[in-house]
Amino acid sequence: MTYATAAGSADWTPDMPVEPLDAPGHILDLVEPLRGPDIAVVDGDDALTYDGLAERSAAIAAALRTAGTRPGDPVVVHTRLSRWAVAAMLGVLRAGARYVPVDAAFPLERQRYMATASGARLAVTEPGLPVTLDRLQPIPADTDGATESGSQSPQTIRGPLAYTCFTSGSTGDPKEVTVSAAALAASTAARLAYYSEPVTAFLLCSSISFDSSVAGIYWTLACRGRIVIPSDRPADLAAIGRAARHHRASHLLMLPSLYSIALGGGAERFATLSAAIVAGEACPPELVRQHYAALPGTRLYNEYGPTECTVWSTVHACSPADADLPDVPIGRPVPGTLLYVRDTAGRPALAGGTGELCIGGPGLAESVPGPYRTGDQVSVTADGELRFHGRTDHQLKLGGVRIERTEVEQALRTHRDVSAAAVGLGRARGRTRLVGFVIPAGTTVDSRTIRAHLIERLPAVAVPSRIETLSGFPFLPNGKLDRDALDRLAEAALAEKP
């Protein structure tokens, strides 16, 4: 199904009010000049001041220009999550090129795939990495940046593009998404406009290869704050807790599932936070309850946005009352973003009805036709906020009833004995069946009581045939649930004798 977008064939008037946005034309306009003795980025016991970051990125930019880099060229940034990554990204941008972040902690084959698919011939590399990428000319991130004439050029070139990242899917090869320097500037300017509290210390808990890291890096630099990298492993919760306390963190952005575990491990470590942001998964109401019980003075925000729209497109400021809702809203458009809720013919969805969310505005990635169809089903509440109803490609039809996996998962999570839940799909005796996977809140769960709990909340056909206990869920490299792996587990569970 294709939406008509020619003049006169579809009404692309935004379906939600648009907040104005004043943004520069390039991300470097927001973060330069990089000057001063304050710490810009810290990882462990090592740090770069703003002066140091300016010098290091200028040296990298000079080395790239000497190697023949042209505006818009792809340059791989091959580092761990570290201060070297931030310096390399800025160095590439200051050379006028676009960076392709390849996390050195990823499986080697994935690193090689991303590097090859990017078309890059140069790679800015972290000192001491045990692995190099084939067929790429390395530029050490600790280079002195000397040109052929022996001097270091401080010149900054404003190139058209900022970065290329790869979206992770459960099938097929990862897809490239390239974001312009203007789109990154708009995304960052929207953060500066929306969030009232400036960043003083941001906990960076995302792989450099995923666009969620973009939010913390450029927002913090634009605020002249400190990027705090607790560990080269984004999910190292012990290191995150120590760093939050030591650096008096003001902001963080995490997956909801990871943030819940972090709070459970000692919320007092996060007492200095002015804002906690969750994104990348549906935010369960129970997390809102958990957050405000532990950190009543810290604001909680639920962000939503596809990679193709430069990190975020909507945001909801959570309140304690959200804990009593069936699901937490994904909110309203961020400044500058245009939102459309459309039916299958591309027409505005009926008031209160469900439709596909489409997105326009300055944050759209390169080669993305606007408006961008997200494949996400949403509705608009009476208060003018969006509710997320799941993916169109995760909807099921069982017994003539349309079922969304996330609705079943949310019902599972409401049981007192369930800490986390996921649903897999399999076939048994010629029929499609659901299997519920749960992580117990205590030592054990009783599948019969859980099914009885679900029968009171879901249509009979949506109640899983089996409830299985797991110690953990399978995840994709970006930290999201691996739906294909869950379906394989469901097939295996259904093949067993009941």
Side-chain angles (χ1 to χ4, degrees):
M1 179 262 294
T2 302
Y3 289 170
T5 56
S9 58
D11 176 12
W12 288 108
T13 302
D15 297 327
M16 300 185 72
V18 181
E19 292 291 329
L21 175 65
D22 183 15
H26 199 287
I27 183 60
L28 290 178
D29 295 333
L30 286 176
V31 302
E32 286 187 331
L34 299 165
R35 287 286 181 263
D38 293 336
I39 292 176
V41 54
V42 56
D43 58 353
D45 296 328
D46 297 304
L48 285 171
T49 64
Y50 275 88
D51 282 336
L53 186 59
E55 293 170 4
R56 178 91 335 262
S57 59
I60 292 169
L64 288 171
R65 288 192 294 268
T66 299
T69 299
R70 296 167 300 180
D73 279 355
V75 175
V76 164
V77 168
H78 187 217
T79 71
R80 301 168 303 138
L81 177 58
S82 67
R83 68 191 186 284
W84 298 108
V86 178
M89 291 171 183
L90 287 172
V92 174
L93 289 173
R94 296 180 76 182
R98 61 180 162 100
Y99 65 86
V100 183
V102 176
D103 195 326
F106 275 16
L108 183 56
E109 285 306 309
R110 185 175 180 86
Q111 294 181 50
R112 287 172 173 162
Y113 173 85
M114 294 164 68
T116 301
S118 73
R121 64 179 184 85
L122 301 173
V124 182
T125 60
E126 178 176 345
L129 281 186
V131 174
T132 58
L133 298 174
D134 300 336
R135 297 184 295 278
L136 290 179
Q137 177 185 338
I139 303 291
D142 58 355
T143 179
D144 62 9
T147 64
E148 291 178 354
S149 63
S151 65
Q152 188 187 97
S153 170
Q155 178 187 8
T156 293
I157 298 174
R158 298 290 200 266
L161 306 175
Y163 64 87
T164 294
C165 62
F166 290 78
T167 58
S168 293
S170 56
T171 61
D173 293 327
K175 180 182 69 171
E176 290 183 62
V177 176
T178 296
V179 170
S180 71
L184 180 53
S187 178
T188 305
R191 290 189 179 278
L192 295 170
Y194 178 81
Y195 288 102
S196 59
E197 293 292 329
V199 178
T200 58
F202 187 98
L203 288 176
L204 188 58
C205 307
S206 303
S207 164
I208 64 166
S209 288
F210 298 124
D211 66 333
S212 53
S213 65
V214 167
I217 292 172
Y218 297 99
W219 184 18
T220 304
L221 293 177
C223 290
R224 298 301 186 266
R226 177 180 301 186
I227 301 168
V228 178
I229 301 175
S231 169
D232 60 357
R233 293 178 292 121
D236 186 343
L237 292 174
I240 290 170
R242 290 193 299 268
R245 175 175 281 164
H246 180 73
H247 293 281
R248 299 185 60 79
S250 64
H251 294 70
L252 64 74
L253 189 156
M254 283 186 180
L255 291 168
S257 54
L258 188 64
Y259 183 55
S260 177
I261 298 170
L263 288 177
E268 69 280 357
R269 301 171 299 175
F270 303 101
T272 60
L273 288 175
S274 62
I277 302 167
V278 294
E281 299 170 341
C283 175
E286 183 54 37
L287 177 59
V288 179
R289 191 186 317 278
Q290 182 185 11
H291 168 87
Y292 281 109
L295 300 173
T298 299
R299 298 180 184 89
L300 177 65
Y301 297 90
N302 184 31
E303 288 187 3
Y304 161 92
T307 299
E308 292 84 354
C309 300
T310 315
V311 189
W312 70 327
S313 301
T314 74
V315 60
H316 170 69
C318 300
S319 71
D322 292 335
D324 298 320
L325 296 176
D327 51 75
V328 178
I330 59 173
R332 296 180 169 86
V334 304
T337 295
L338 315 178
L339 298 185
Y340 315 85
V341 182
R342 298 301 160 114
D343 64 17
T344 55
R347 298 180 298 252
L350 297 176
T354 300
E356 181 179 1
L357 179 61
C358 302
I359 301 174
L364 288 184
E366 296 293 286
S367 302
V368 172
Y372 172 70
R373 294 185 57 191
T374 66
D376 291 331
Q377 295 290 303
V378 299
S379 62
V380 183
T381 69
D383 295 331
E385 293 208 305
L386 288 175
R387 289 184 59 197
F388 176 70
H389 297 284
R391 295 283 302 169
T392 55
D393 50 7
H394 289 159
Q395 285 187 336
L396 313 171
K397 195 168 186 178
L398 301 177
V401 178
R402 289 196 177 277
I403 298 168
E404 171 58 52
R405 291 198 207 206
T406 54
E407 294 181 8
V408 182
E409 291 165 349
Q410 175 57 32
L412 280 165
R413 283 193 292 264
T414 61
H415 193 280
R416 66 179 181 278
D417 294 335
V418 174
S419 173
V423 170
L425 188 68
R427 292 188 66 81
R429 294 183 291 277
R431 295 179 59 192
T432 300
R433 298 177 183 271
L434 298 177
V435 176
F437 297 101
V438 300
I439 297 175
T443 55
T444 61
V445 294
D446 184 336
S447 62
R448 290 173 299 181
T449 62
I450 290 179
R451 292 190 79 249
H453 176 81
L454 296 179
I455 288 170
E456 296 177 354
R457 291 163 173 78
L458 297 170
V461 293
V463 176
S465 302
R466 296 188 64 155
I467 304 294
E468 299 286 327
T469 300
L470 296 177
S471 59
F473 296 143
F475 291 98
L476 294 165
N478 64 358
K480 296 183 182 182
L481 279 174
D482 187 338
R483 295 285 181 184
D484 274 7
L486 286 170
D487 290 347
R488 290 192 292 271
L489 289 173
E491 287 279 1
L494 291 168
E496 298 175 359
K497 292 184 178 180

